[in-house]
Amino acid sequence: DEEERALGIRRPAYIPATSEKRKRKLSSWRVVSGVLSVMLVCVASCGAAGFLGQRQIAKLIQGPIKTVNTPATIDFSQVPATPIGTPGPAANVVKSAVTALGVDNKYNPVNVTSHFSVDATVYVVVRLVGVPAKTTNTLSIGWYIKGPAGFQNIDPTGTLDQTIPPQTVSTFNAYFSLPFHQPGVGMAKIYWDKQQGDAGSAATDPALAQTILFAVQPASAATTPTPTKGKSYSVAPLVAWRQDYQPG
């Protein structure tokens, strides 16, 4: 080699041939599916971002979420416009019953009505006729209010009883009263000589004299509460009567 270089002889350099590998051509299906996948991801991302953004904007505008209670609906259609009692088996003595806002000094009903407002006192005035002389009798009342399961007795003892001693007259008025602090359809049942232990729930009870319905209306329909049991009521004096009053 050195001799050839001294003589000026140069051999051609060997350069190996190089070539790039031929790339595989992508199919049109793979190209289309890839483009569609990218588009679907973009659409889903935009939709989710828009939904979340709308909820955030709504919260900023409306403020904290508030829960609104729907007031209970009370059906007063069954209460008659004019208060009148429905007679029972013992109506031969307790002839009538009406509801009113009060009584006068002769125990006649004052401001007779079948519709009361919340916190008003309901007076049930009864007319006793033919009361036996020289006998002791019992006049009782059961106070009820209508709930989802029907009328419920609001007196835990069942009825409120009052003994009427022997009278000098056979005809006179008597009344019961009870303040109602919640709205609803109320009912009063009047009994004459009701036996101890008698539930008085049957319409054919021999001691049942009168049944009367009345309405206790809310001050505003927007604040109507659900009727509750009788423990939320306070009881007025049970009964009063006039043995010295003889109607003319």
Side-chain angles (χ1 to χ4, degrees):
D1 292 338
E2 293 180 356
E3 293 178 356
E4 290 179 356
R5 291 178 183 175
L7 297 175
I9 300 173
R10 293 184 178 179
R11 293 183 180 184
Y14 173 76
I15 301 175
T18 57
S19 62
E20 296 181 358
K21 294 183 179 180
R22 186 176 181 181
K23 296 182 180 180
R24 181 180 295 180
K25 184 178 181 181
L26 296 176
S27 64
S28 58
W29 166 248
R30 295 185 63 183
V31 174
V32 173
S33 61
V35 173
L36 290 177
S37 300
V38 173
M39 292 178 62
L40 289 176
V41 171
C42 292
V43 171
S45 301
C46 293
F51 177 74
L52 295 176
Q54 184 178 6
R55 293 187 60 181
Q56 294 297 328
I57 294 174
K59 288 182 179 180
L60 292 175
I61 296 176
Q62 297 178 359
I65 298 176
K66 297 181 180 180
T67 302
V68 178
N69 295 324
T70 303
T73 302
I74 304 175
D75 182 13
F76 293 112
S77 61
Q78 59 184 305
V79 179
T82 302
I84 183 171
T86 301
N92 57 322
V93 176
V94 185
K95 290 293 185 180
S96 63
V98 297
T99 52
L101 291 172
V103 294
D104 62 13
N105 58 354
K106 294 183 178 181
Y107 293 2
N108 292 314
V110 176
N111 296 326
V112 174
T113 180
S114 60
H115 290 72
F116 300 83
S117 60
V118 173
D119 295 331
T121 298
V122 178
Y123 286 79
V124 176
V125 183
V126 296
R127 185 72 165 167
L128 303 174
V129 178
V131 177
K134 300 180 181 180
T135 62
T136 299
N137 302 99
T138 302
L139 187 64
S140 311
I141 189 170
W143 294 99
Y144 301 82
I145 193 164
K146 191 173 185 180
F151 284 99
Q152 299 175 349
N153 195 316
I154 63 175
D155 173 34
T157 63
T159 55
L160 305 177
D161 303 327
Q162 177 66 42
T163 300
I164 298 180
Q167 305 294 305
T168 58
V169 294
S170 61
T171 301
F172 54 91
N173 288 352
Y175 75 86
F176 293 85
S177 62
L178 181 71
F180 277 74
H181 303 301
Q182 294 192 14
V185 176
M187 180 174 66
K189 288 186 175 183
I190 311 299
Y191 302 92
W192 180 254
D193 285 340
K194 187 172 180 290
Q195 298 298 318
Q196 186 176 4
D198 181 5
S201 57
T204 57
D205 191 313
L208 180 61
Q210 297 286 336
T211 301
I212 190 167
L213 296 176
F214 53 90
V216 181
Q217 297 175 315
S220 172
T223 59
T224 304
T226 303
T228 58
K229 296 182 180 180
K231 293 182 179 180
S232 62
Y233 296 90
S234 60
V235 180
L238 304 186
V239 69
W241 66 93
R242 288 184 61 88
Q243 61 180 0
D244 60 342
Y245 171 56
Q246 179 70 42

